[in-house]
Amino acid sequence: MSSKVPVSVLIPAKNEEANLPACLDSLQRADEIFIVDSQSTDRSAEIAKNYGANLVQFHFNGRWPKKKNWSLDNLPFRNEWVLIVDCDERIPNELWDEIAQVIKQEEFTGYYLNRRVFFLGKWIRYGGKYPDWNLRLFKHKLGRYENLHTEDVPNTGDNEVHEHVVMQGKVGYLKQDMLHEDFRDIYHWLERHNRYSNWEARVYYNLITGEDQSDTIGANLFGEAVQRKRFLKKVWVRLPFKPLLRFILFYIIRLGFLDGKAGYIYGRLLSQYEYQIGVKLYELSNCGGQLNTANTSPSLPPSLAQEIEKSTT
């Protein structure tokens, strides 16, 4: 066993007994591990205890911050560097070796990690899924997740979904990949993306209505990879036929067909996901965010009700 790397790992979790063992196995080189749980009802707490991880319970109050930012603000990290890892992700030894080296340098305050996404037993290498850069390793005092003003959206959970980290200082890119392998079934993939589509619909809505973006990474065609993606999303939200376009983009233009059957299924599911987002965006814009409600419901959160009222006047 290699010596411990002076990094604190943060794992957001809820009912992840299927994924936690493999995740924690890959994190044994970390100096300390915090699992921030949302009152799991499965064996997640027992597994965390067996691996010697620090288990902290998070109780979401429906307001900002959500789980990751709350953890960055409140956990007693004993290391300067923190590594954010989801339960369905793994950190190979080669990546640990690279992390051990880069945290000794002073040039950067954070690093992007590239993910290999596995689906139905196959690495989804094409379709735009690789490279998949995520800023996960950084000096915890200098980085916080952006606020996209989605915390009042119902049924999205208490954890940041696709928010990115806003850093003070210069960021770099690591060479070795992290692995994304969910050991659960398609049911859970669909369930998770049903929640994600609520979040995406609100993000689309905010972009269309000109929501303040000052607390975000910003959209910049000539910026970093995630800023370029955000710029393209501002264009994307206004296009027609997005479900069909997303399949064509993934499967044909970005060569998703080279990933075989898994690539085809993944492309179809992404197209379905885009359709869900569109329907929920329509519901949000025209029905006050509730099915068959022609006018803004008084039961809506005040901030959402005010925004819908502004957009319709």
Side-chain angles (χ1 to χ4, degrees):
M1 175 67 69
S2 302
S3 59
K4 297 288 187 179
V5 179
V7 166
S8 298
V9 174
L10 167 60
I11 307 174
K14 182 176 182 180
N15 292 332
E16 288 280 2
E17 65 178 6
N19 285 315
L20 263 177
C23 177
L24 291 169
D25 280 337
S26 78
L27 300 176
Q28 292 307 294
R29 292 181 62 182
D31 177 59
E32 70 174 349
I33 300 172
F34 283 94
I35 297 177
V36 184
D37 186 48
S38 299
Q39 300 82 57
S40 290
T41 56
D42 63 1
R43 296 179 54 250
S44 292
E46 176 187 344
I47 293 169
K49 180 179 178 181
N50 290 340
Y51 276 86
N54 300 293
L55 183 67
V56 178
Q57 292 297 334
F58 173 66
H59 298 268
F60 185 47
N61 62 10
R63 299 188 298 275
W64 189 258
K66 286 194 171 185
K67 185 185 290 185
K68 293 175 187 173
N69 266 4
W70 178 89
S71 301
L72 292 169
D73 287 338
N74 291 282
L75 295 183
F77 300 119
R78 65 174 175 241
N79 298 290
E80 182 181 30
W81 289 86
V82 66
L83 175 65
I84 313 291
V85 181
D86 289 339
C87 294
D88 53 10
E89 294 172 339
R90 325 280 175 246
I91 307 297
N93 268 322
E94 297 81 7
L95 180 51
W96 274 120
D97 291 339
E98 186 177 10
I99 290 172
Q101 292 301 314
V102 298
I103 62 174
K104 298 176 183 177
Q105 303 169 11
E106 296 296 331
E107 182 179 3
F108 300 107
T109 59
Y111 290 90
Y112 283 96
L113 277 64
N114 196 6
R115 293 196 310 176
R116 295 189 185 191
V117 175
F118 288 81
F119 182 75
L120 294 178
K122 184 174 181 61
W123 173 20
I124 304 299
R125 187 171 184 174
Y126 299 96
K129 290 302 294 181
Y130 187 85
D132 180 22
W133 294 106
N134 294 264
L135 205 163
R136 299 295 193 86
L137 176 68
F138 55 94
K139 294 182 178 180
H140 68 84
K141 293 182 180 179
L142 301 181
R144 291 295 182 271
Y145 282 85
E146 62 184 342
N147 185 357
L148 294 177
H149 306 289
T150 60
E151 60 271 16
D152 59 353
V153 181
N155 302 314
T156 57
D158 61 1
N159 192 26
E160 291 86 348
V161 180
H162 294 143
E163 287 90 344
H164 296 285
V165 177
V166 179
M167 285 297 303
Q168 301 176 40
K170 188 178 179 181
V171 297
Y173 292 79
L174 298 187
K175 297 177 182 179
Q176 300 297 326
D177 294 343
M178 68 189 304
L179 308 180
H180 181 283
E181 299 177 285
D182 193 339
F183 292 150
R184 296 171 299 180
D185 54 21
I186 291 292
Y187 171 89
H188 287 92
W189 193 99
L190 293 170
E191 185 273 335
R192 184 169 70 249
H193 282 76
N194 187 30
R195 288 188 285 107
Y196 288 176
S197 61
N198 285 4
W199 180 91
E200 290 276 13
R202 181 58 181 273
V203 171
Y204 280 24
Y205 180 85
N206 289 346
L207 289 173
I208 290 172
T209 57
E211 173 73 35
D212 180 22
Q213 300 290 304
S214 59
D215 294 333
T216 74
I217 59 168
N220 186 351
L221 181 60
F222 304 103
E224 296 171 354
V226 292
Q227 292 177 313
R228 294 195 296 271
K229 287 177 68 175
R230 186 64 53 79
F231 177 87
L232 294 174
K233 178 170 279 191
K234 293 182 72 172
V235 177
W236 174 261
V237 297
R238 292 171 170 82
L239 295 178
F241 311 115
K242 284 190 287 294
L244 176 60
L245 288 175
R246 187 153 189 182
F247 179 79
I248 293 173
L249 184 65
F250 175 90
Y251 194 69
I252 300 174
I253 297 177
R254 292 183 170 176
L255 309 179
F257 64 87
L258 293 177
D259 285 322
K261 185 69 171 181
Y264 174 76
I265 294 173
Y266 200 89
R268 289 294 301 270
L269 288 175
L270 287 180
S271 176
Q272 174 184 312
Y273 176 55
E274 193 65 51
Y275 185 76
Q276 285 181 257
I277 297 169
V279 172
K280 291 177 180 180
L281 175 61
Y282 181 86
E283 179 188 55
L284 185 62
S285 302
N286 296 276
C287 302
Q290 294 188 357
L291 187 65
N292 297 328
T293 303
N295 301 307
T296 301
S297 169
S299 64
L300 284 173
S303 59
L304 179 54
Q306 291 166 5
E307 289 178 16
I308 294 174
E309 183 179 356
K310 288 179 188 176
S311 69
T312 55
T313 57

